[in-house]
Amino acid sequence: MKKLLLLMAIPFFSSGEITPKVTTPDKFSALPFYQKTLHRYDYLADTGCGIVSLKLFYPAEHNKHPPSGPSPWLCLYAVDVISNGYGPGQVLPERIYLDKKTGRWKKKKYALSRESTQRSLEVYGIKSLSELQPLDLYNIRSVNARGYAIVNRNIPLEEKKKGMKKKLSFCLIQNQSYSAFCGSRSMVDLVDSKEVDFTPYMLKSLETVEMGLPEK
């Protein structure tokens, strides 16, 4: 718990930042966005995130199709997010963990057991683990929170059959709070019969997250 408190004491800033940098479309600052405000009843689980606000950016040419954002939105205990990282349940030879000395999220490779390997092959519908793609990890700093975003191109076979091609998952921990704002959604959507990759838009949206806003 002391380590968690030290993490919460890391200074946060009023402007967001993503590491590594995200390649964004030209004139990104002029892109339209949908202002999303989440209340207690919008979360699948609620541990005290309060009101959360963020801007959901989307391509200008799809002005009639604003993004819906992740579904469901989650509010979890920060200590659980830090303990679990990203990896458990994914059956992948990579996990994301928090380096508590630096306060940054990092990737770690490890060997799957024989049983986990077989499970991975079944889940992803592959013949060899070599077919799995590396996870893309981003450290996110938003208005008053910090955490990670993962872009995962390893899609379970059942979800792949439904058209999913890659998924973005994130968790942001509010400064001086025990709550984490999390979510996950498909990043490639069909808009007007064309595939649109929302990955850079969603990543930039996470920079605008502000947690724990008071009720008006």
Side-chain angles (χ1 to χ4, degrees):
M1 185 60 71
K2 288 183 179 180
K3 290 183 178 179
L4 176 59
L5 291 173
L6 286 173
L7 175 67
M8 295 301 132
I10 294 174
F12 284 69
F13 305 87
S14 60
S15 59
E17 183 180 66
I18 300 176
T19 307
K21 297 293 184 182
V22 176
T23 301
T24 55
D26 293 337
K27 300 180 180 178
F28 191 89
S29 61
L31 286 176
F33 62 86
Y34 171 63
Q35 185 72 47
K36 185 73 174 180
T37 302
L38 299 167
H39 298 264
R40 186 182 186 92
Y41 50 77
D42 291 310
Y43 304 117
L44 181 63
D46 185 15
T47 61
C49 287
I51 294 178
V52 174
S53 175
L54 74 157
K55 298 175 181 177
L56 292 174
F57 293 105
Y58 55 94
E61 63 270 27
H62 299 296
N63 199 43
K64 295 181 180 179
H65 305 277
S68 59
S71 180
W73 301 96
L74 302 172
C75 184
L76 306 174
Y77 288 111
V79 66
D80 291 334
V81 170
I82 292 172
S83 176
N84 296 332
Y86 182 88
Q90 303 296 322
V91 207
L92 297 172
E94 281 187 308
R95 288 192 179 182
I96 305 303
Y97 72 98
L98 178 67
D99 183 338
K100 295 179 181 178
K101 292 183 179 180
T102 64
R104 299 186 67 79
W105 294 86
K106 297 181 179 180
K107 289 201 303 183
K108 177 173 63 177
K109 292 185 177 182
Y110 68 101
L112 291 176
S113 65
R114 180 177 298 179
E115 293 77 11
S116 293
T117 296
Q118 184 58 41
R119 176 63 178 158
S120 183
L121 300 181
E122 294 173 356
V123 167
Y124 297 107
I126 56 179
K127 296 182 178 180
S128 170
L129 292 181
S130 63
E131 296 179 50
L132 295 173
Q133 298 186 51
L135 299 173
D136 292 337
L137 166 65
Y138 297 87
N139 274 269
I140 306 289
R141 189 182 73 202
S142 75
V143 175
N144 68 343
R146 181 175 286 177
Y148 69 78
I150 303 297
V151 176
N152 187 356
R153 295 174 179 80
N154 304 297
I155 306 301
L157 185 59
E158 291 305 311
E159 295 182 13
K160 193 182 301 181
K161 290 178 180 178
K162 297 176 182 178
M164 186 178 293
K165 296 189 175 181
K166 67 176 176 177
K167 179 185 292 186
L168 183 146
S169 302
F170 73 90
C171 276
L172 296 175
I173 300 171
Q174 183 185 0
N175 185 28
Q176 298 179 342
S177 169
Y178 296 107
S179 300
F181 175 56
C182 306
S184 180
R185 79 179 295 268
S186 171
M187 283 293 102
V188 180
D189 289 350
L190 199 62
V191 180
D192 294 334
S193 301
K194 295 182 180 179
E195 287 188 349
V196 179
D197 188 346
F198 283 91
T199 304
Y201 302 92
M202 190 63 210
L203 286 170
K204 295 297 288 184
S205 294
L206 293 177
E207 285 186 317
T208 71
V209 168
E210 188 169 7
M211 298 174 61
L213 297 175
E215 293 280 356
K216 294 182 179 180

